[in-house]
Amino acid sequence: RNLSVLAEKESAVKVAISEASAMACLLALLDTGSSAEREQAGAAVRNLSFDAEGVRAVVNNDGVGVLARRLADGTNSLQVSVTGALANLAAIDVGIRQEIVDEGAVPHLVSKLSDANAALQDRAAALLQSLSHESESRQAVILEAGAAAPLAGLLTSKHSFAAQGHSAAALRNLASIKCTAAKEAMATPPVVTALTQLVKRKGSTLHAKEQALGALWGLTYAPGNRDRVAATGAITVLVALLENP
């Protein structure tokens, strides 16, 4: 528990912890420790993974696989910590993203998008945003796991601005997939409607609106999706944006 608390402190303390080989011990506890030990170790790893030094410590101790395995079980608190740690890693180190997918993380992340825990939803969406960035193969894996619908479900006003932004960005990344069949399979009425409604909604952030517009644009590269997008009232929404940006 002491390391979990210390890991929240300034960068110099985090570096000292990592250099003292504490990361290897934390990952061992996260992998094989008791439920309580896993909780504390998970929180510490998450707090240590906010910078390049922490990410390097996780990678050097084969921590990506440990974190990915913990996605399948544990309390909500542990799940938030583990998913948050992986989201930190993927955001900082592009090279880690494929390893996270190869470790089988995607199906677990998709299931977390529908969890009752808002923090867990947000972190899962943030991680999927990173994993879906500029990779056709990872985009295909995420779409095949059924991510589009639950991501769209996080675009409504009842969810946090952060969750809306991460989800819209993930959908934009997924909509950039070159496979026409994948684009058309993604563009179900609920997904396209949720994107249009987010753009239309006055309370949405500019970032989320931009990401949702990017997703709609990407989907319309598949000719079969153009009528689907138009059927949601998107044209009226777009014209209104031009008149009142």
Side-chain angles (χ1 to χ4, degrees):
R1 181 175 178 81
N2 289 337
L3 281 176
S4 175
V5 174
L6 285 172
E8 296 177 354
K9 306 301 181 182
E10 62 271 11
S11 180
V13 176
K14 294 181 179 182
V15 172
I17 294 173
S18 296
E19 290 180 347
S21 300
M23 184 62 75
C25 298
L26 289 170
L27 290 168
L29 287 173
L30 184 59
D31 196 25
T32 61
S34 67
S35 177
E37 288 171 337
R38 288 178 179 178
E39 290 253 351
Q40 296 302 323
V45 173
R46 178 198 61 206
N47 291 336
L48 288 168
S49 62
F50 276 107
D51 54 31
E53 289 81 5
V55 170
R56 186 162 53 249
V58 172
V59 173
N60 289 344
N61 287 284
D62 300 320
V64 175
V66 175
L67 289 164
R69 286 194 292 275
R70 290 280 70 81
L71 288 171
D73 55 33
T75 64
N76 262 347
S77 177
L78 176 60
Q79 293 299 301
V80 169
S81 292
V82 169
T83 308
L86 287 170
N88 293 340
L89 298 179
I92 294 171
D93 189 339
V94 175
I96 289 175
R97 295 173 184 176
Q98 188 59 49
E99 183 179 356
I100 293 172
V101 172
D102 291 342
E103 289 286 350
V106 171
H108 299 299
L109 296 174
V110 172
S111 70
K112 295 179 195 317
L113 295 173
S114 302
D115 195 272
N117 186 304
L120 186 53
Q121 290 177 327
D122 174 45
R123 285 159 179 75
L127 180 47
L128 287 170
Q129 175 187 345
S130 292
L131 297 181
S132 60
H133 185 64
E134 295 184 348
S135 171
E136 287 274 315
S137 61
R138 292 198 298 270
Q139 289 164 358
V141 170
I142 294 168
L143 285 171
E144 288 168 6
L151 282 169
L154 295 178
L155 301 182
T156 64
S157 59
K158 72 177 183 178
H159 296 288
S160 69
F161 287 144
Q164 292 177 45
H166 291 313
S167 299
L171 287 167
R172 179 179 186 171
N173 291 341
L174 294 171
S176 71
I177 194 168
K178 294 178 181 177
C179 175
T180 298
K183 286 182 186 287
E184 292 181 345
M186 176 181 170
T188 61
V191 170
V192 179
T193 298
L195 288 166
T196 301
Q197 289 301 310
L198 186 148
V199 174
K200 180 180 179 180
R201 194 166 61 243
K202 291 184 178 180
S204 303
T205 66
L206 178 59
H207 169 71
K209 287 178 183 283
E210 289 174 343
Q211 299 304 314
L213 284 168
L216 290 169
W217 182 35
L219 291 174
T220 58
Y221 271 79
N225 286 342
R226 293 169 188 170
D227 286 343
R228 297 179 187 179
V229 172
T232 67
I235 294 175
T236 301
V237 173
L238 294 173
V239 170
L241 283 176
L242 292 173
E243 294 176 342
N244 297 288

